[in-house]
Amino acid sequence: MLIALRLNVFAKGNSGIRPETVSQVLAAFNADCLPVVPEQGTVGASGDLAPLSHLALGFMGEGKMWDPQTKEQGDSAVILAKHGLKPIQLQAKEGLAMINGTTLISALASEALVRAMNIAQQANVVAALTLESLRGTVSAMDPRIHAARPHNGQVRTAAMLRSILHREGNLSAISVSHENCGKVQDSYTLRCIPQVHGICWDTLLFVQRILEVELNSATDNPMVFTDEGEGLNLEDSKKNITLSGGNFHGEYPAKACDYLAIGVHELASISERRIERLVNPALSHGLPAFLIKDGGLNSGFMIAHCTAAALVSENKGLCHPASIDSISTSAAQEDHVSMGGWAARKALRVVEHVEFVVAIELLCACQAIDFLRPLTSTPALESVHSLVRSKIPHVDRDRVLADDIQKAAEMLRKNEIIKAVSKFSSSL
């Protein structure tokens, strides 16, 4: 991703790099000869200089590189030669072209965004399964409620939930079984799913707009312009001019990464609270304590819930915005920086934690559904339950749950949960 984005910057034509140098980088990329780049070392202004210098070193035959044959790191000169590739020989301006820009921030941010949007979609399905297993009401999803406060994400989330929960023509025996229970409304973690999940989705859409511009921009310095354009004055409008500016500053993607982390974290925060309701017999409306039949002898999902709580608490620290920090560098010439590298790295870590928390909720909700048998849910949610049970059996006595959690998280990363319900919902 890092190399692809750097090549895309070169393609804008403002970097001042020769086509033959770009072709050599492209050839190494296509051969999967990938320079080893440290994730730390950038302050996110004047570009990601230190990490991108390692990228350039690899192509120059002076750094470390990933060998696609041995699947190990090695000397880049040796690996390039083994694959019939020559090290690049940099000419005027090309060193700066290789190392100046927000490419590392953008690469990490892109992965974080794609994974965040995937888990946000599937968190809706998992939340619906929890609402069903806790015998919650679908009345809070009524379209009239959300039309009265028509935020895009809220309306979208409510529509998705309605499409897979109990309704006319899409019956759930579980929902029918408690129609006359007398309960007026559910806890916030069930009743307010559209409002909480909705703003998470809208935040991700905002981040997507920022990154789509950033990924397709020239972010190095100085910039070379070979066409006439509107400059500050007639002299500046001439062809073949080099201008110094600040497109390398990473404040845009840094802020976007901080927003992403804060937005997607809330999915884990509310998910962990739903897990608490599933495992707590005082809140679960008849489900066994910690979702295990023989409590006392078995701890069930107690420690799984502790794991979710720990990840949510860790995320709270990681969600402190990196981009509110700055530290002067380069003899005070670079006196304001974005800290976008750290913003991107921790955003990716937050997303990973969210994946695991939602995976634990998925396991707990499926376990709860098992205890409601022979009652069944809607076809969409039954398809999710069947998918999970095809890979992860019911927990009838204590076993190591780490493997189950990993399997559930992998299902979420592969979008298997959303695929399972897609044929039942037009709102996906």
Coordinates of all heavy atoms in Angstrom, one line a residue, residues 292-360:
I292 N -23.6 -19.9 30.9 CA -23.1 -21.3 31.0 C -24.1 -22.0 31.9 O -24.7 -21.5 32.8 CB -21.7 -21.3 31.6 CG1 -21.0 -22.7 31.3 CG2 -21.7 -21.0 33.1 CD1 -20.6 -22.9 29.9
K293 N -24.3 -23.3 31.5 CA -25.4 -24.0 32.2 C -25.0 -24.4 33.6 O -25.9 -24.2 34.5 CB -25.7 -25.3 31.4 CG -26.8 -26.1 31.9 CD -27.2 -27.3 30.9 CE -26.0 -28.2 30.7 NZ -26.5 -29.4 29.8
D294 N -23.9 -24.8 33.9 CA -23.5 -25.2 35.2 C -22.6 -24.2 35.8 O -21.3 -24.4 35.9 CB -22.8 -26.6 35.2 CG -23.8 -27.7 34.7 OD1 -25.0 -27.7 35.1 OD2 -23.4 -28.6 33.9
G295 N -23.1 -23.1 36.3 CA -22.3 -22.0 36.9 C -21.7 -22.5 38.2 O -22.2 -23.4 38.8
G296 N -20.6 -21.9 38.5 CA -19.9 -22.3 39.7 C -18.8 -23.2 39.3 O -17.6 -23.0 39.5
L297 N -19.1 -24.4 38.7 CA -18.1 -25.3 38.2 C -17.5 -24.7 36.9 O -16.4 -24.9 36.6 CB -18.8 -26.6 37.8 CG -19.2 -27.5 39.0 CD1 -19.9 -28.7 38.5 CD2 -18.1 -27.9 39.9
N298 N -18.3 -23.9 36.2 CA -17.8 -23.2 34.9 C -18.0 -21.7 35.0 O -19.0 -21.2 35.6 CB -18.7 -23.8 33.7 CG -18.5 -25.3 33.5 OD1 -17.5 -25.7 33.0 ND2 -19.5 -26.0 33.9
S299 N -17.0 -21.0 34.5 CA -17.1 -19.6 34.5 C -17.7 -19.0 33.2 O -17.9 -17.8 33.1 CB -15.7 -19.0 34.7 OG -14.8 -19.4 33.6
G300 N -17.9 -19.8 32.2 CA -18.6 -19.4 31.0 C -17.8 -18.2 30.3 O -16.6 -18.3 30.1
F301 N -18.6 -17.2 30.0 CA -18.0 -16.0 29.3 C -17.6 -14.9 30.2 O -17.4 -13.8 29.8 CB -19.0 -15.5 28.3 CG -19.2 -16.4 27.1 CD1 -20.0 -17.5 27.1 CD2 -18.5 -16.2 25.9 CE1 -20.1 -18.4 26.0 CE2 -18.6 -17.0 24.8 CZ -19.4 -18.1 24.9
M302 N -17.4 -15.2 31.5 CA -17.0 -14.2 32.4 C -15.6 -13.5 32.0 O -15.5 -12.3 32.0 CB -16.8 -14.7 33.9 CG -16.4 -13.7 34.9 SD -16.4 -14.4 36.6 CE -15.1 -15.6 36.4
I303 N -14.6 -14.3 31.7 CA -13.3 -13.8 31.4 C -13.3 -13.2 30.0 O -12.6 -12.2 29.7 CB -12.2 -14.8 31.6 CG1 -12.2 -15.4 33.0 CG2 -10.9 -14.3 31.2 CD1 -12.1 -14.3 34.1
A304 N -14.2 -13.7 29.1 CA -14.3 -13.1 27.8 C -14.8 -11.7 27.9 O -14.3 -10.8 27.2 CB -15.2 -13.9 26.9
H305 N -15.8 -11.5 28.9 CA -16.2 -10.1 29.1 C -15.2 -9.2 29.7 O -15.0 -8.1 29.3 CB -17.5 -10.1 30.0 CG -17.9 -8.8 30.5 ND1 -18.0 -8.4 31.8 CD2 -18.2 -7.7 29.7 CE1 -18.3 -7.1 31.8 NE2 -18.5 -6.7 30.6
C306 N -14.3 -9.8 30.6 CA -13.2 -9.0 31.1 C -12.3 -8.6 30.0 O -11.7 -7.5 30.1 CB -12.4 -9.9 32.1 SG -13.3 -10.2 33.7
T307 N -12.0 -9.5 29.1 CA -11.2 -9.1 27.9 C -11.8 -8.0 27.1 O -11.0 -7.0 26.8 CB -11.0 -10.4 27.0 OG1 -10.4 -11.4 27.7 CG2 -10.1 -10.0 25.8
A308 N -13.1 -8.0 26.9 CA -13.7 -6.9 26.2 C -13.6 -5.6 27.0 O -13.3 -4.5 26.4 CB -15.2 -7.2 25.9
A309 N -13.8 -5.7 28.3 CA -13.7 -4.5 29.1 C -12.3 -3.9 29.1 O -12.1 -2.7 29.0 CB -14.1 -4.8 30.5
A310 N -11.3 -4.8 29.1 CA -9.9 -4.4 29.1 C -9.6 -3.7 27.8 O -8.9 -2.6 27.8 CB -9.0 -5.6 29.3
L311 N -10.0 -4.2 26.7 CA -9.8 -3.6 25.3 C -10.5 -2.2 25.2 O -9.9 -1.3 24.7 CB -10.3 -4.5 24.2 CG -9.5 -5.8 24.1 CD1 -10.1 -6.7 23.0 CD2 -8.0 -5.6 23.7
V312 N -11.7 -2.1 25.7 CA -12.4 -0.8 25.7 C -11.6 0.2 26.5 O -11.5 1.4 26.1 CB -13.8 -1.0 26.2 CG1 -14.5 0.3 26.4 CG2 -14.6 -1.8 25.1
S313 N -11.2 -0.2 27.7 CA -10.5 0.7 28.6 C -9.2 1.1 27.9 O -8.8 2.3 28.0 CB -10.2 0.0 29.9 OG -9.6 1.0 30.8
E314 N -8.5 0.2 27.3 CA -7.2 0.6 26.6 C -7.5 1.5 25.4 O -6.7 2.5 25.2 CB -6.6 -0.7 26.0 CG -5.2 -0.5 25.5 CD -4.4 -1.8 25.2 OE1 -4.7 -2.8 26.0 OE2 -3.7 -1.9 24.2
N315 N -8.6 1.3 24.7 CA -8.9 2.3 23.7 C -9.2 3.7 24.1 O -8.9 4.6 23.4 CB -10.2 1.8 22.9 CG -9.9 0.8 21.8 OD1 -8.7 0.4 21.6 ND2 -10.9 0.3 21.2
K316 N -9.6 3.8 25.3 CA -9.9 5.2 25.9 C -8.6 6.0 25.9 O -8.6 7.2 25.6 CB -10.5 5.1 27.3 CG -11.9 4.5 27.3 CD -12.4 4.3 28.7 CE -13.7 3.6 28.7 NZ -14.2 3.3 30.1
G317 N -7.5 5.3 26.2 CA -6.2 6.0 26.2 C -5.7 6.3 24.8 O -5.2 7.3 24.4
L318 N -5.9 5.3 23.9 CA -5.5 5.4 22.5 C -6.3 6.5 21.8 O -5.8 7.0 20.7 CB -5.6 4.0 21.8 CG -4.7 3.0 22.3 CD1 -5.0 1.6 21.6 CD2 -3.2 3.3 21.9
C319 N -7.5 6.8 22.2 CA -8.3 7.7 21.5 C -8.0 9.2 21.9 O -8.5 10.1 21.3 CB -9.8 7.5 21.8 SG -10.5 6.1 20.9
H320 N -7.0 9.4 22.8 CA -6.5 10.7 23.0 C -5.9 11.2 21.7 O -5.0 10.6 21.2 CB -5.5 10.8 24.1 CG -4.9 12.1 24.4 ND1 -5.6 13.1 25.1 CD2 -3.8 12.7 24.0 CE1 -4.9 14.2 25.2 NE2 -3.8 14.0 24.5
P321 N -6.4 12.4 21.2 CA -5.9 12.8 19.8 C -4.4 13.1 19.8 O -3.9 13.9 20.5 CB -6.7 14.1 19.6 CG -7.9 14.0 20.6 CD -7.4 13.3 21.8
A322 N -3.8 12.4 18.8 CA -2.3 12.6 18.6 C -2.1 14.0 18.0 O -1.1 14.7 18.2 CB -1.7 11.5 17.7
S323 N -3.1 14.4 17.2 CA -2.9 15.6 16.3 C -3.0 16.9 17.1 O -2.8 18.0 16.6 CB -3.9 15.6 15.2 OG -5.2 15.7 15.6
I324 N -3.4 16.9 18.4 CA -3.4 18.1 19.2 C -1.9 18.4 19.7 O -1.7 19.4 20.3 CB -4.3 18.0 20.4 CG1 -3.9 16.9 21.4 CG2 -5.8 17.8 19.9 CD1 -4.7 16.9 22.7
D325 N -1.0 17.4 19.5 CA 0.3 17.6 19.9 C 1.2 18.2 18.8 O 0.8 18.0 17.6 CB 0.9 16.3 20.3 CG 2.3 16.4 20.9 OD1 2.7 17.5 21.4 OD2 3.0 15.4 20.9
S326 N 2.2 18.8 19.1 CA 3.2 19.3 18.1 C 4.5 19.5 18.8 O 4.6 19.8 20.0 CB 2.8 20.7 17.5 OG 3.7 21.1 16.5
I327 N 5.6 19.3 18.1 CA 6.9 19.5 18.6 C 7.8 20.1 17.5 O 7.8 19.6 16.4 CB 7.5 18.2 19.2 CG1 8.8 18.4 20.0 CG2 7.7 17.1 18.1 CD1 9.2 17.2 20.8
S328 N 8.6 21.1 17.9 CA 9.4 21.8 16.9 C 10.6 20.9 16.5 O 11.3 20.4 17.4 CB 9.8 23.1 17.4 OG 10.6 23.8 16.5
T329 N 10.9 20.9 15.2 CA 12.1 20.1 14.7 C 12.8 20.9 13.6 O 12.4 22.0 13.2 CB 11.6 18.8 14.1 OG1 10.7 19.0 13.0 CG2 10.9 17.9 15.1
S330 N 13.9 20.4 13.2 CA 14.7 21.0 12.1 C 15.1 22.5 12.4 O 14.8 23.4 11.6 CB 13.9 20.9 10.8 OG 14.8 21.2 9.7
A331 N 15.7 22.7 13.6 CA 16.1 24.0 14.0 C 15.0 25.0 13.9 O 15.2 26.2 13.5 CB 17.3 24.5 13.1
A332 N 13.8 24.6 14.3 CA 12.6 25.5 14.4 C 12.1 25.9 13.0 O 11.1 26.7 13.0 CB 12.9 26.7 15.3
Q333 N 12.6 25.3 11.9 CA 12.0 25.6 10.6 C 10.7 24.9 10.5 O 9.7 25.4 10.0 CB 13.0 25.2 9.5 CG 12.5 25.4 8.1 CD 12.4 26.9 7.7 OE1 12.9 27.7 8.4 NE2 11.7 27.2 6.6
E334 N 10.7 23.6 11.0 CA 9.5 22.8 11.0 C 8.9 22.9 12.4 O 9.0 22.0 13.2 CB 9.9 21.4 10.6 CG 10.5 21.3 9.2 CD 11.2 20.0 8.9 OE1 11.1 19.1 9.8 OE2 11.8 19.8 7.8
D335 N 8.3 24.1 12.7 CA 7.9 24.4 14.0 C 6.5 24.1 14.4 O 6.0 24.4 15.5 CB 8.2 25.9 14.3 CG 7.5 26.8 13.3 OD1 6.9 26.3 12.3 OD2 7.4 28.0 13.5
H336 N 5.8 23.4 13.5 CA 4.5 22.9 13.8 C 4.3 21.6 13.0 O 4.4 21.6 11.8 CB 3.3 23.9 13.5 CG 2.0 23.3 13.8 ND1 1.3 22.5 13.0 CD2 1.2 23.5 14.9 CE1 0.1 22.1 13.5 NE2 0.1 22.7 14.7
V337 N 4.0 20.5 13.7 CA 3.9 19.2 13.0 C 2.6 18.6 13.4 O 1.9 19.0 14.4 CB 5.1 18.3 13.3 CG1 6.4 18.9 12.9 CG2 5.2 18.0 14.9
S338 N 2.2 17.5 12.7 CA 0.9 16.9 12.8 C 0.8 15.7 13.8 O -0.2 15.4 14.3 CB 0.3 16.5 11.5 OG 1.0 15.4 11.0
M339 N 1.9 15.0 13.9 CA 2.0 13.8 14.6 C 1.1 12.7 14.0 O 0.5 11.9 14.7 CB 1.7 13.9 16.1 CG 2.6 14.9 16.9 SD 4.4 14.5 16.7 CE 4.5 12.9 17.4
G340 N 0.9 12.8 12.7 CA 0.0 12.0 12.0 C 0.4 10.5 12.0 O -0.4 9.6 11.9
G341 N 1.7 10.2 12.0 CA 2.1 8.8 12.1 C 1.6 8.1 13.3 O 1.1 7.0 13.1
W342 N 1.7 8.7 14.4 CA 1.1 8.1 15.6 C -0.4 8.1 15.6 O -1.0 7.1 16.0 CB 1.6 8.8 16.9 CG 1.0 8.4 18.2 CD1 0.5 9.2 19.1 CD2 0.9 7.1 18.7 NE1 0.1 8.5 20.2 CE2 0.3 7.1 20.0 CE3 1.2 5.8 18.2 CZ2 0.0 6.0 20.7 CZ3 1.0 4.7 18.9 CH2 0.4 4.8 20.2
A343 N -1.0 9.1 15.1 CA -2.5 9.1 14.9 C -2.9 7.9 14.1 O -3.9 7.3 14.4 CB -2.9 10.4 14.3
A344 N -2.2 7.6 13.0 CA -2.6 6.5 12.1 C -2.4 5.2 12.8 O -3.2 4.3 12.7 CB -1.9 6.6 10.8
R345 N -1.2 5.1 13.4 CA -0.9 3.8 14.0 C -1.8 3.4 15.1 O -2.3 2.3 15.2 CB 0.6 3.8 14.6 CG 1.7 3.8 13.5 CD 3.0 4.2 14.0 NE 3.3 3.5 15.3 CZ 4.0 4.1 16.3 NH1 4.4 5.4 16.2 NH2 4.2 3.4 17.4
K346 N -2.2 4.4 16.0 CA -3.1 4.0 17.1 C -4.5 3.9 16.6 O -5.3 3.1 17.2 CB -2.9 5.1 18.2 CG -3.4 6.4 17.9 CD -3.2 7.3 19.2 CE -3.8 8.7 19.0 NZ -5.2 8.7 18.9
A347 N -4.9 4.6 15.5 CA -6.2 4.3 15.0 C -6.4 2.9 14.5 O -7.4 2.3 14.7 CB -6.5 5.3 13.8
L348 N -5.3 2.4 13.9 CA -5.3 1.0 13.4 C -5.4 0.0 14.6 O -6.2 -1.0 14.6 CB -4.1 0.7 12.6 CG -4.1 -0.6 11.8 CD1 -5.3 -0.7 10.9 CD2 -2.8 -0.7 11.0
R349 N -4.8 0.4 15.7 CA -4.8 -0.5 16.9 C -6.2 -0.4 17.5 O -6.8 -1.4 18.0 CB -3.8 0.0 17.9 CG -3.6 -1.0 19.1 CD -2.5 -0.6 20.0 NE -1.2 -0.3 19.4 CZ -0.2 0.1 20.1 NH1 -0.3 0.4 21.4 NH2 1.0 0.4 19.5
V350 N -6.8 0.8 17.5 CA -8.2 0.9 18.1 C -9.2 0.0 17.2 O -10.0 -0.7 17.8 CB -8.7 2.4 18.0 CG1 -10.2 2.5 18.3 CG2 -7.9 3.2 19.1
V351 N -9.0 0.0 15.9 CA -9.9 -0.8 15.1 C -9.7 -2.2 15.4 O -10.7 -3.0 15.5 CB -9.6 -0.5 13.6 CG1 -10.4 -1.5 12.7 CG2 -9.9 0.9 13.2
E352 N -8.5 -2.7 15.6 CA -8.3 -4.1 15.9 C -9.0 -4.5 17.2 O -9.6 -5.5 17.4 CB -6.8 -4.4 16.0 CG -6.4 -5.8 16.3 CD -4.9 -6.1 16.4 OE1 -4.2 -5.1 16.5 OE2 -4.5 -7.2 16.5
H353 N -8.9 -3.6 18.2 CA -9.5 -3.8 19.5 C -11.1 -3.9 19.3 O -11.7 -4.8 19.9 CB -9.2 -2.8 20.5 CG -7.8 -2.8 20.9 ND1 -7.2 -1.8 21.7 CD2 -6.8 -3.7 20.7 CE1 -5.9 -2.1 21.9 NE2 -5.6 -3.2 21.3
V354 N -11.6 -3.1 18.5 CA -13.1 -3.1 18.2 C -13.5 -4.4 17.6 O -14.5 -5.0 18.0 CB -13.5 -1.9 17.3 CG1 -14.9 -2.0 16.9 CG2 -13.2 -0.6 18.0
E355 N -12.7 -4.9 16.7 CA -13.0 -6.2 16.0 C -13.1 -7.3 17.1 O -14.0 -8.1 17.0 CB -11.9 -6.5 15.0 CG -11.9 -5.6 13.8 CD -10.6 -5.8 12.9 OE1 -9.6 -6.3 13.4 OE2 -10.6 -5.3 11.8
F356 N -12.2 -7.3 18.0 CA -12.2 -8.3 19.1 C -13.4 -8.2 20.0 O -14.0 -9.2 20.4 CB -10.9 -8.3 19.8 CG -9.8 -9.1 19.1 CD1 -8.6 -8.4 18.8 CD2 -9.9 -10.4 18.8 CE1 -7.6 -9.0 18.1 CE2 -8.8 -11.1 18.2 CZ -7.7 -10.4 17.8
V357 N -13.7 -6.9 20.4 CA -14.9 -6.7 21.3 C -16.1 -7.2 20.6 O -17.0 -7.9 21.2 CB -14.9 -5.3 21.7 CG1 -16.2 -5.0 22.5 CG2 -13.7 -4.9 22.6
V358 N -16.3 -6.8 19.4 CA -17.6 -7.2 18.6 C -17.6 -8.7 18.4 O -18.6 -9.3 18.5 CB -17.7 -6.4 17.3 CG1 -18.9 -6.9 16.5 CG2 -17.8 -4.9 17.5
A359 N -16.4 -9.3 18.2 CA -16.3 -10.8 18.1 C -16.8 -11.4 19.4 O -17.5 -12.5 19.4 CB -14.9 -11.2 17.8
I360 N -16.4 -10.9 20.5 CA -16.9 -11.4 21.8 C -18.4 -11.3 22.0 O -19.1 -12.2 22.4 CB -16.1 -10.8 23.0 CG1 -14.6 -11.2 22.9 CG2 -16.7 -11.2 24.3 CD1 -13.7 -10.4 23.9

